[in-house]
mmCIF file of all heavy atoms in Angstrom:
data_model
loop_
_atom_site.group_PDB
_atom_site.id
_atom_site.type_symbol
_atom_site.label_atom_id
_atom_site.label_comp_id
_atom_site.label_asym_id
_atom_site.label_seq_id
_atom_site.Cartn_x
_atom_site.Cartn_y
_atom_site.Cartn_z
ATOM 1 N N ASN H 1 -19.384 -25.395 -80.438
ATOM 2 C CA ASN H 1 -18.939 -26.644 -81.083
ATOM 3 C C ASN H 1 -17.513 -26.575 -81.629
ATOM 4 O O ASN H 1 -16.778 -27.564 -81.651
ATOM 5 C CB ASN H 1 -19.837 -27.129 -82.193
ATOM 6 C CG ASN H 1 -21.150 -27.768 -81.603
ATOM 7 O OD1 ASN H 1 -21.185 -28.240 -80.532
ATOM 8 N ND2 ASN H 1 -22.266 -27.626 -82.319
ATOM 9 N N ASP H 2 -17.039 -25.324 -82.019
ATOM 10 C CA ASP H 2 -15.769 -25.124 -82.491
ATOM 11 C C ASP H 2 -14.711 -25.379 -81.412
ATOM 12 O O ASP H 2 -13.697 -25.989 -81.654
ATOM 13 C CB ASP H 2 -15.547 -23.741 -83.105
ATOM 14 C CG ASP H 2 -16.325 -23.498 -84.423
ATOM 15 O OD1 ASP H 2 -16.662 -24.556 -85.071
ATOM 16 O OD2 ASP H 2 -16.578 -22.386 -84.692
ATOM 17 N N ILE H 3 -15.037 -24.936 -80.178
ATOM 18 C CA ILE H 3 -14.145 -25.165 -79.120
ATOM 19 C C ILE H 3 -14.113 -26.635 -78.676
ATOM 20 O O ILE H 3 -13.072 -27.254 -78.348
ATOM 21 C CB ILE H 3 -14.492 -24.300 -77.845
ATOM 22 C CG1 ILE H 3 -14.521 -22.814 -78.250
ATOM 23 C CG2 ILE H 3 -13.661 -24.521 -76.648
ATOM 24 C CD1 ILE H 3 -15.080 -21.929 -77.212
ATOM 25 N N LYS H 4 -15.259 -27.216 -78.732
ATOM 26 C CA LYS H 4 -15.346 -28.692 -78.473
ATOM 27 C C LYS H 4 -14.445 -29.465 -79.440
ATOM 28 O O LYS H 4 -13.679 -30.323 -79.065
ATOM 29 C CB LYS H 4 -16.783 -29.207 -78.599
ATOM 30 C CG LYS H 4 -17.563 -28.865 -77.488
ATOM 31 C CD LYS H 4 -19.071 -29.345 -77.683
ATOM 32 C CE LYS H 4 -20.048 -28.876 -76.571
ATOM 33 N NZ LYS H 4 -21.366 -29.332 -76.793
ATOM 34 N N GLN H 5 -14.504 -29.025 -80.723
ATOM 35 C CA GLN H 5 -13.629 -29.707 -81.782
ATOM 36 C C GLN H 5 -12.162 -29.483 -81.466
ATOM 37 O O GLN H 5 -11.343 -30.391 -81.599
ATOM 38 C CB GLN H 5 -13.955 -29.247 -83.124
ATOM 39 C CG GLN H 5 -13.305 -29.963 -84.239
ATOM 40 C CD GLN H 5 -13.750 -31.445 -84.236
ATOM 41 O OE1 GLN H 5 -14.902 -31.746 -84.176
ATOM 42 N NE2 GLN H 5 -12.742 -32.358 -84.338
ATOM 43 N N LYS H 6 -11.770 -28.252 -81.064
ATOM 44 C CA LYS H 6 -10.412 -27.965 -80.628
ATOM 45 C C LYS H 6 -9.939 -28.952 -79.578
ATOM 46 O O LYS H 6 -8.801 -29.466 -79.684
ATOM 47 C CB LYS H 6 -10.280 -26.517 -80.119
ATOM 48 C CG LYS H 6 -10.100 -25.439 -81.036
ATOM 49 C CD LYS H 6 -9.835 -24.179 -80.400
ATOM 50 C CE LYS H 6 -9.907 -22.952 -81.196
ATOM 51 N NZ LYS H 6 -9.582 -21.709 -80.487
ATOM 52 N N VAL H 7 -10.737 -29.050 -78.511
ATOM 53 C CA VAL H 7 -10.378 -29.989 -77.395
ATOM 54 C C VAL H 7 -10.260 -31.421 -77.862
ATOM 55 O O VAL H 7 -9.290 -32.094 -77.485
ATOM 56 C CB VAL H 7 -11.406 -29.806 -76.256
ATOM 57 C CG1 VAL H 7 -11.168 -30.810 -75.156
ATOM 58 C CG2 VAL H 7 -11.370 -28.393 -75.672
ATOM 59 N N MET H 8 -11.232 -31.786 -78.738
ATOM 60 C CA MET H 8 -11.206 -33.191 -79.204
ATOM 61 C C MET H 8 -9.931 -33.459 -79.992
ATOM 62 O O MET H 8 -9.242 -34.416 -79.866
ATOM 63 C CB MET H 8 -12.438 -33.494 -80.074
ATOM 64 C CG MET H 8 -13.695 -33.660 -79.310
ATOM 65 S SD MET H 8 -15.228 -33.755 -80.157
ATOM 66 C CE MET H 8 -14.850 -34.710 -81.569
ATOM 67 N N ASN H 9 -9.461 -32.484 -80.795
ATOM 68 C CA ASN H 9 -8.260 -32.573 -81.606
ATOM 69 C C ASN H 9 -7.098 -32.672 -80.687
ATOM 70 O O ASN H 9 -6.105 -33.446 -80.999
ATOM 71 C CB ASN H 9 -8.104 -31.406 -82.612
ATOM 72 C CG ASN H 9 -9.165 -31.500 -83.710
ATOM 73 O OD1 ASN H 9 -9.747 -32.482 -84.051
ATOM 74 N ND2 ASN H 9 -9.364 -30.306 -84.391
ATOM 75 N N ILE H 10 -6.972 -31.871 -79.647
ATOM 76 C CA ILE H 10 -5.956 -31.891 -78.684
ATOM 77 C C ILE H 10 -5.748 -33.262 -78.075
ATOM 78 O O ILE H 10 -4.709 -33.817 -78.000
ATOM 79 C CB ILE H 10 -6.037 -30.732 -77.709
ATOM 80 C CG1 ILE H 10 -5.816 -29.377 -78.293
ATOM 81 C CG2 ILE H 10 -5.100 -30.932 -76.503
ATOM 82 C CD1 ILE H 10 -6.238 -28.241 -77.542
ATOM 83 N N LEU H 11 -6.917 -33.804 -77.550
ATOM 84 C CA LEU H 11 -6.906 -35.012 -76.926
ATOM 85 C C LEU H 11 -6.445 -36.206 -77.856
ATOM 86 O O LEU H 11 -5.733 -37.032 -77.502
ATOM 87 C CB LEU H 11 -8.253 -35.407 -76.293
ATOM 88 C CG LEU H 11 -8.694 -34.585 -75.114
ATOM 89 C CD1 LEU H 11 -10.136 -34.884 -74.743
ATOM 90 C CD2 LEU H 11 -7.738 -34.795 -73.958
ATOM 91 N N GLU H 12 -6.903 -36.053 -79.117
ATOM 92 C CA GLU H 12 -6.613 -37.079 -80.048
ATOM 93 C C GLU H 12 -5.078 -37.068 -80.355
ATOM 94 O O GLU H 12 -4.470 -38.099 -80.499
ATOM 95 C CB GLU H 12 -7.391 -36.832 -81.295
ATOM 96 C CG GLU H 12 -7.410 -37.960 -82.308
ATOM 97 C CD GLU H 12 -8.437 -37.698 -83.359
ATOM 98 O OE1 GLU H 12 -9.677 -37.698 -83.138
ATOM 99 O OE2 GLU H 12 -7.956 -37.559 -84.574
ATOM 100 N N LYS H 13 -4.518 -35.898 -80.562
ATOM 101 C CA LYS H 13 -3.117 -35.788 -80.803
ATOM 102 C C LYS H 13 -2.276 -36.305 -79.721
ATOM 103 O O LYS H 13 -1.227 -36.993 -79.914
ATOM 104 C CB LYS H 13 -2.711 -34.315 -81.094
ATOM 105 C CG LYS H 13 -3.109 -33.751 -82.435
ATOM 106 C CD LYS H 13 -2.765 -32.360 -82.562
ATOM 107 C CE LYS H 13 -3.295 -31.784 -83.867
ATOM 108 N NZ LYS H 13 -3.084 -30.369 -83.953
ATOM 109 N N VAL H 14 -2.627 -36.025 -78.453
ATOM 110 C CA VAL H 14 -1.895 -36.439 -77.321
ATOM 111 C C VAL H 14 -1.960 -37.902 -77.078
ATOM 112 O O VAL H 14 -1.038 -38.549 -76.635
ATOM 113 C CB VAL H 14 -2.196 -35.637 -76.086
ATOM 114 C CG1 VAL H 14 -1.600 -36.149 -74.794
ATOM 115 C CG2 VAL H 14 -1.904 -34.143 -76.218
ATOM 116 N N THR H 15 -3.150 -38.501 -77.346
ATOM 117 C CA THR H 15 -3.331 -39.859 -76.982
ATOM 118 C C THR H 15 -3.246 -40.849 -78.113
ATOM 119 O O THR H 15 -3.420 -42.091 -77.872
ATOM 120 C CB THR H 15 -4.728 -40.053 -76.284
ATOM 121 O OG1 THR H 15 -5.743 -39.666 -77.231
ATOM 122 C CG2 THR H 15 -4.816 -39.257 -75.020
ATOM 123 N N ASN H 16 -2.980 -40.439 -79.359
ATOM 124 C CA ASN H 16 -3.036 -41.415 -80.442
ATOM 125 C C ASN H 16 -1.814 -42.294 -80.586
ATOM 126 O O ASN H 16 -1.762 -43.194 -81.416
ATOM 127 C CB ASN H 16 -3.205 -40.648 -81.781
ATOM 128 C CG ASN H 16 -2.033 -39.786 -82.193
ATOM 129 O OD1 ASN H 16 -1.150 -39.706 -81.496
ATOM 130 N ND2 ASN H 16 -2.192 -39.234 -83.349
ATOM 131 N N THR H 17 -0.780 -42.115 -79.691
ATOM 132 C CA THR H 17 0.315 -42.983 -79.678
ATOM 133 C C THR H 17 0.130 -44.116 -78.727
ATOM 134 O O THR H 17 -0.553 -44.034 -77.775
ATOM 135 C CB THR H 17 1.618 -42.201 -79.379
ATOM 136 O OG1 THR H 17 1.470 -41.674 -78.097
ATOM 137 C CG2 THR H 17 1.874 -41.148 -80.381
ATOM 138 N N ARG H 18 0.962 -45.234 -78.941
ATOM 139 C CA ARG H 18 0.972 -46.338 -77.925
ATOM 140 C C ARG H 18 1.802 -45.961 -76.810
ATOM 141 O O ARG H 18 2.885 -45.417 -76.926
ATOM 142 C CB ARG H 18 1.458 -47.584 -78.653
ATOM 143 C CG ARG H 18 0.482 -48.133 -79.738
ATOM 144 C CD ARG H 18 1.094 -49.189 -80.512
ATOM 145 N NE ARG H 18 1.422 -50.332 -79.658
ATOM 146 C CZ ARG H 18 1.459 -51.500 -80.172
ATOM 147 N NH1 ARG H 18 1.186 -51.773 -81.369
ATOM 148 N NH2 ARG H 18 1.870 -52.519 -79.387
ATOM 149 N N HIS H 19 1.312 -46.270 -75.551
ATOM 150 C CA HIS H 19 2.067 -46.070 -74.373
ATOM 151 C C HIS H 19 2.332 -47.434 -73.776
ATOM 152 O O HIS H 19 1.685 -47.853 -72.803
ATOM 153 C CB HIS H 19 1.270 -45.170 -73.392
ATOM 154 C CG HIS H 19 1.031 -43.854 -73.977
ATOM 155 N ND1 HIS H 19 -0.093 -43.386 -74.627
ATOM 156 C CD2 HIS H 19 1.875 -42.739 -73.904
ATOM 157 C CE1 HIS H 19 0.004 -42.240 -74.973
ATOM 158 N NE2 HIS H 19 1.165 -41.596 -74.592
ATOM 159 N N ASP H 20 3.283 -48.149 -74.401
ATOM 160 C CA ASP H 20 3.601 -49.570 -73.917
ATOM 161 C C ASP H 20 4.137 -49.633 -72.508
ATOM 162 O O ASP H 20 3.959 -50.650 -71.918
ATOM 163 C CB ASP H 20 4.629 -50.194 -74.874
ATOM 164 C CG ASP H 20 4.000 -50.452 -76.253
ATOM 165 O OD1 ASP H 20 2.762 -50.645 -76.314
ATOM 166 O OD2 ASP H 20 4.793 -50.440 -77.281
ATOM 167 N N ASN H 21 4.651 -48.557 -72.050
ATOM 168 C CA ASN H 21 5.152 -48.623 -70.611
ATOM 169 C C ASN H 21 4.115 -48.158 -69.612
ATOM 170 O O ASN H 21 4.516 -47.917 -68.397
ATOM 171 C CB ASN H 21 6.405 -47.761 -70.524
ATOM 172 C CG ASN H 21 6.139 -46.338 -71.051
ATOM 173 O OD1 ASN H 21 5.126 -46.011 -71.650
ATOM 174 N ND2 ASN H 21 7.032 -45.422 -70.801
ATOM 175 N N MET H 22 2.896 -48.025 -69.995
ATOM 176 C CA MET H 22 1.878 -47.656 -69.006
ATOM 177 C C MET H 22 0.816 -48.631 -68.923
ATOM 178 O O MET H 22 0.368 -49.212 -69.904
ATOM 179 C CB MET H 22 1.250 -46.239 -69.378
ATOM 180 C CG MET H 22 2.135 -45.090 -69.183
ATOM 181 S SD MET H 22 1.210 -43.559 -69.244
ATOM 182 C CE MET H 22 1.538 -43.114 -70.936
ATOM 183 N N ALA H 23 0.303 -48.890 -67.729
ATOM 184 C CA ALA H 23 -0.830 -49.836 -67.434
ATOM 185 C C ALA H 23 -1.637 -49.273 -66.282
ATOM 186 O O ALA H 23 -1.075 -48.839 -65.320
ATOM 187 C CB ALA H 23 -0.405 -51.238 -67.128
ATOM 188 N N GLY H 24 -2.860 -49.169 -66.461
ATOM 189 C CA GLY H 24 -3.755 -48.700 -65.445
ATOM 190 C C GLY H 24 -4.788 -47.651 -65.917
ATOM 191 O O GLY H 24 -5.071 -47.617 -67.136
ATOM 192 N N THR H 25 -5.401 -46.986 -65.026
ATOM 193 C CA THR H 25 -6.447 -45.984 -65.345
ATOM 194 C C THR H 25 -6.144 -44.596 -64.717
ATOM 195 O O THR H 25 -5.380 -44.593 -63.767
ATOM 196 C CB THR H 25 -7.822 -46.465 -64.890
ATOM 197 O OG1 THR H 25 -7.862 -46.624 -63.509
ATOM 198 C CG2 THR H 25 -8.208 -47.792 -65.625
ATOM 199 N N MET H 26 -6.610 -43.632 -65.270
ATOM 200 C CA MET H 26 -6.453 -42.248 -64.728
ATOM 201 C C MET H 26 -7.626 -41.475 -65.122
ATOM 202 O O MET H 26 -8.185 -41.563 -66.210
ATOM 203 C CB MET H 26 -5.238 -41.610 -65.327
ATOM 204 C CG MET H 26 -4.958 -40.174 -64.896
ATOM 205 S SD MET H 26 -3.369 -39.510 -65.510
ATOM 206 C CE MET H 26 -3.603 -39.519 -67.223
ATOM 207 N N LYS H 27 -8.096 -40.570 -64.138
ATOM 208 C CA LYS H 27 -9.162 -39.634 -64.435
ATOM 209 C C LYS H 27 -8.598 -38.236 -63.935
ATOM 210 O O LYS H 27 -8.101 -38.132 -62.916
ATOM 211 C CB LYS H 27 -10.416 -40.023 -63.616
ATOM 212 C CG LYS H 27 -11.537 -39.093 -63.890
ATOM 213 C CD LYS H 27 -12.863 -39.449 -63.245
ATOM 214 C CE LYS H 27 -13.926 -38.528 -63.726
ATOM 215 N NZ LYS H 27 -14.782 -38.087 -62.817
ATOM 216 N N ILE H 28 -8.881 -37.278 -64.833
ATOM 217 C CA ILE H 28 -8.518 -35.958 -64.450
ATOM 218 C C ILE H 28 -9.692 -35.020 -64.670
ATOM 219 O O ILE H 28 -10.561 -35.228 -65.543
ATOM 220 C CB ILE H 28 -7.370 -35.368 -65.314
ATOM 221 C CG1 ILE H 28 -7.664 -35.423 -66.786
ATOM 222 C CG2 ILE H 28 -6.064 -36.166 -64.989
ATOM 223 C CD1 ILE H 28 -6.578 -34.801 -67.635
ATOM 224 N N ASP H 29 -9.806 -34.041 -63.786
ATOM 225 C CA ASP H 29 -10.848 -32.976 -63.846
ATOM 226 C C ASP H 29 -10.112 -31.648 -63.993
ATOM 227 O O ASP H 29 -9.355 -31.331 -63.009
ATOM 228 C CB ASP H 29 -11.758 -33.057 -62.670
ATOM 229 C CG ASP H 29 -12.660 -34.282 -62.622
ATOM 230 O OD1 ASP H 29 -13.171 -34.671 -63.702
ATOM 231 O OD2 ASP H 29 -12.767 -34.955 -61.612
#
């Protein structure tokens, strides 16, 4: 669970800003 929390924090930091110049969807594996 500690690693899961690390990953969640990373995703939150990267995505918490508005991306007004982007529209659409993306999926990554």
Side-chain angles (χ1 to χ4, degrees):
N1 285 332
D2 291 337
I3 301 169
K4 287 179 185 178
Q5 190 62 47
K6 276 187 191 179
V7 173
M8 288 171 39
N9 290 341
I10 291 167
L11 290 174
E12 197 171 290
K13 285 178 187 174
V14 171
T15 61
N16 70 353
T17 58
R18 291 170 60 152
H19 297 95
D20 290 332
N21 55 348
M22 289 195 261
T25 61
M26 177 174 63
K27 181 176 187 223
I28 57 172
D29 292 316

